[in-house]
């Protein structure tokens, strides 16, 4: 903390001066706290998965260098979450002059406004009230589309002019978000969508660290860390971001999707948290986690999907929650506890997926979004099932279905119906799925559907669908 106190006790400037508190720029404050946490081996970015060797080292260097940053990546790559987490490197509280006439949270030792300087110069320090600004309030962000100059920089306030204030006086200004975040962090999402005039205003803040409104000789020496986010397809397009602004951004941090499926599953489990418990719990087999995440991976590689737009991690999460909801509904209706998701629950993914895939309209093979989803789901099941065959060898299980067994499946069929069709569960069942499927009807039903769907994906058995139910047979 800025030679700072463990608790915000001083309530006037005299006591603050006596405490030995010293002011720092916001970037120096962040660097000092970050350095302390780094030296102590603290977790720097809790909840961020898959970036340890790529993104986080770049952020660390930018914080130590005192740079403004641009987070460049496709949607759903934790750009906003990373920006918001930088708040944890601010001091718990910082003092400011507690006067309603002041336009910003003034540093008591270095006020930037004329009104703030007058207070410090003309009043007794014991009569200057001090309040404390918590770190949680020292962050603000804005989405670029529709943002005007007045929103984030400021504007002349006509009401104040009417009241007799001179147009060239600071008091005539209505400050925007960035000046009001003096001594804090401001984030601008989707930078390329920002109007050119506003980009010029940002360029001036990054270059000179001051605010000038409508050309009047009014300057604020604003102390703020500025963060941006952007999609590579628009940021790299000529004319979307003025070159002078690009040149002033200290560090570009390039984000990415999880590089391994297990990382995507870890993100899913982290985001879902306690949602699988409660009065009607749900137990999700590993292979269902793998299929949900593989669906997203297939979509990210599909020639029918516009890869410049990307496929967000929210796609996986929305699909996972839909699958769990379908299983929970079945558990509630049939009294199965815990409920276990099955392949047939994936039939409801249209509701959570449509609208999240942006199709490549320039491709030669046109498909509807529903057809694309069917395609990626089928690919995901085949890939995951093939991995289980390779790792565990499911010949014993597949042999059951070669005997001419006909099995009906569906998201609302009770699990006991599956057990009636398959009385004898081979030992390979438990080995393959790392669950006690032979003793749990709901788990067995989920495993049955996985095997059936997997064998169908390999053209080993046939499938017929009618009235929402699916029949598999050899």
């Amino acid at each position: 903390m800025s030679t700072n106190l463990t608790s915000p006790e001083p309530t006037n400037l005299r006591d603050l001066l006596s405490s030995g508190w010293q002011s720092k720029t916001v970037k120096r404050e962040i660097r000092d706290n970050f350095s302390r946490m780094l030296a102590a081996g603290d977790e720097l970015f809790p909840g961020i998965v898959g970036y340890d060797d790529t993104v986080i080292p770049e952020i660390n260097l930018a914080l130590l260098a005192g740079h403004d940053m641009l987070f460049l990546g496709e949607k759903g790559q934790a750009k906003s979450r990373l920006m918001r987490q930088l708040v944890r490197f601010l001091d718990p509280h910082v003092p400011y002059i507690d006067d309603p006439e002041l336009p910003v949270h003034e540093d008591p030792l270095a006020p930037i406004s004329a009104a703030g300087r007058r207070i410090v110069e003309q009043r007794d320090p014991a009569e200057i009230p001090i309040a404390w600004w918590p770190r949680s309030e020292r962050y603000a962000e804005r989405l670029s589309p529709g943002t005007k100059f007045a929103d984030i920089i400021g504007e002349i306030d006509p009401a104040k002019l009417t009241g007799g204030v001179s147009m060239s006086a600071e008091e005539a200004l209505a400050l925007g978000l960035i000046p009001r975040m003096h001594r804090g962090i401001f984030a601008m999402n989707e930078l390329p969508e920002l109007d050119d005039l506003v980009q010029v205003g940002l360029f001036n803040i990054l270059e000179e660290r001051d605010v000038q409104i409508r050309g009047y000789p009014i300057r604020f020496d604003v102390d703020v860390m500025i963060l941006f986010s952007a999609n590579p397809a628009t940021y790299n397009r000529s004319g979307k971001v003025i070159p002078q602004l690009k040149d002033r951004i200290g560090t570009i941090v390039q984000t990415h999707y999880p590089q391994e499926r297990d990382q995507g599953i870890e993100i899913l489990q982290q985001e879902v948290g306690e949602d699988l418990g409660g009065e009607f719990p749900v137990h999700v087999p590993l292979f269902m986690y793998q299929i949900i995440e593989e669906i997203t991976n297939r979509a990210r590689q599909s020639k029918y999907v516009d890869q410049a737009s990307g496929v967000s991690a929210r796609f996986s999460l929305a699909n996972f929650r839909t699958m769990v909801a379908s299983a929970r509904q079945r558990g509630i209706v049939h009294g199965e506890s815990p409920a276990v998701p099955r392949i047939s629950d994936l039939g409801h993914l249209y509701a959570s997926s449509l609208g999240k895939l942006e199709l490549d309209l320039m491709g030669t093979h046109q498909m509807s979004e529903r057809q694309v989803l069917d395609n990626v789901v089928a690919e995901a099941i085949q890939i995951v099932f093939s991995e289980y065959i390779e790792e565990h060898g499911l010949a014993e299980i597949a042999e059951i279905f070669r005997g001419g067994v006909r099995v009906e499946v569906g998201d609302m069929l009770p699990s006991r119906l599956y057990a009636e069709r398959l009385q004898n569960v081979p030992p390979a069942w438990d080995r393959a799925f790392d669950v006690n499927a032979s003793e749990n009807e709901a788990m067995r039903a989920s495993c049955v559907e996985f095997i059936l769907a997997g064998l169908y994906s390999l053209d080993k058995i046939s499938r017929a669908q009618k009235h929402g139910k699916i029949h598999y047979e050899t």
Side-chain angles (χ1 to χ4, degrees), residues 4-31:
N4 295 328
L5 320 164
T6 56
S7 60
E9 293 178 353
T11 57
N12 61 66
L13 182 56
R14 182 192 63 189
D15 292 344
L16 182 67
L17 293 171
S18 299
S19 73
W21 185 88
Q22 296 179 358
S23 62
K24 295 181 180 180
T25 65
V26 66
K27 290 181 179 178
R28 175 65 183 273
E29 177 188 334
I30 289 173
R31 187 183 76 185

Side-chain angles (χ1 to χ4, degrees), residues 234-457:
T234 51
Y235 183 76
N236 295 323
R237 190 180 304 163
S238 177
K240 296 294 287 185
V241 179
I242 61 174
Q244 296 91 334
L245 182 55
K246 284 185 175 181
D247 188 49
R248 265 66 181 189
I249 297 172
T251 293
I252 294 180
V253 178
Q254 293 210 266
T255 58
H256 54 81
Y257 289 122
Q259 296 175 327
E260 299 177 5
R261 187 202 294 153
D262 287 348
Q263 292 175 345
I265 292 174
E266 186 178 348
I267 293 171
L268 272 181
Q269 293 173 331
Q270 174 182 282
E271 292 299 316
V272 173
E274 303 298 322
D275 287 356
L276 299 180
E279 184 179 357
F280 302 100
V282 178
H283 180 84
V284 183
L286 176 60
F287 60 83
M288 293 305 294
Y289 275 110
Q290 292 171 329
I291 289 173
I292 286 290
E293 188 59 27
E294 191 60 38
I295 289 171
T296 301
N297 290 341
R298 292 301 96 201
R300 287 173 181 157
Q301 298 177 43
S302 173
K303 63 183 178 181
Y304 305 111
V305 176
D306 182 6
Q307 299 305 322
S309 172
V311 180
S312 168
R314 289 180 286 272
F315 183 73
S316 290
L317 183 59
N319 286 339
F320 184 84
R321 291 189 185 280
T322 296
M323 178 189 72
V324 168
S326 178
R328 180 167 275 144
Q329 176 180 246
R330 180 174 56 254
I332 295 170
V333 171
H334 296 301
E336 297 178 5
S337 182
V340 180
R342 313 169 182 165
I343 295 294
S344 54
D345 293 318
L346 303 182
H348 298 287
L349 296 192
Y350 298 114
S352 53
S353 296
L354 299 183
K356 293 183 175 65
L357 295 177
E358 295 190 33
L359 303 188
D360 182 5
L361 301 179
M362 302 302 292
T364 57
H365 299 88
Q366 292 300 309
M367 295 177 69
S368 69
E369 195 171 359
R370 185 178 287 259
Q371 289 173 318
V372 172
L373 182 63
D374 288 339
N375 185 59
V376 298
V377 169
E379 286 183 0
I381 293 172
Q382 181 178 354
I383 288 172
V384 174
F385 183 70
S386 297
E387 291 172 359
Y388 272 75
I389 290 179
E390 181 178 348
E391 182 175 353
H392 301 286
L394 303 184
E396 295 177 64
I397 298 174
E399 189 64 36
I400 297 176
F401 302 102
R402 293 196 185 100
V405 175
R406 186 174 189 273
V407 181
E408 177 186 290
V409 303
D411 66 295
M412 288 305 293
L413 288 179
S415 297
R416 58 179 172 78
L417 296 182
Y418 294 74
E420 293 171 1
R421 288 164 171 77
L422 295 173
Q423 298 292 340
N424 299 316
V425 177
W429 202 274
D430 291 333
R431 292 201 305 272
F433 300 110
D434 197 27
V435 293
N436 200 5
S438 58
E439 295 182 6
N440 184 297
E441 288 184 342
M443 184 62 70
R444 188 185 311 176
S446 181
C447 293
V448 166
E449 287 204 21
F450 178 52
I451 295 292
L452 291 168
L455 292 173
Y456 173 73
S457 73

Side-chain angles (χ1 to χ4, degrees), residues 85-132:
Q85 285 210 2
L86 298 185
V87 172
R88 67 198 309 267
F89 302 119
L90 294 169
D91 289 346
H93 303 81
V94 290
Y96 66 94
I97 301 173
D98 188 15
D99 189 300
E101 299 300 317
L102 297 182
V104 297
H105 290 81
E106 289 280 24
D107 183 336
L109 305 188
I112 63 170
S113 67
R117 290 191 292 271
R118 281 197 301 270
I119 289 174
V120 172
E121 292 168 1
Q122 298 175 7
R123 293 191 199 174
D124 186 290
E127 297 177 355
I128 300 177
I130 298 297
W132 294 80

Side-chain angles (χ1 to χ4, degrees), residues 19-63:
S19 73
W21 185 88
Q22 296 179 358
S23 62
K24 295 181 180 180
T25 65
V26 66
K27 290 181 179 178
R28 175 65 183 273
E29 177 188 334
I30 289 173
R31 187 183 76 185
D32 288 353
N33 289 327
F34 171 79
S35 299
R36 190 176 301 112
M37 294 175 69
L38 183 65
D42 294 344
E43 185 178 13
L44 300 175
F45 297 93
I48 301 299
V49 177
Y51 284 170
D52 290 348
D53 300 321
T54 53
V55 175
I56 289 177
E58 300 303 319
I59 298 175
N60 293 352
L61 295 180
L63 295 178

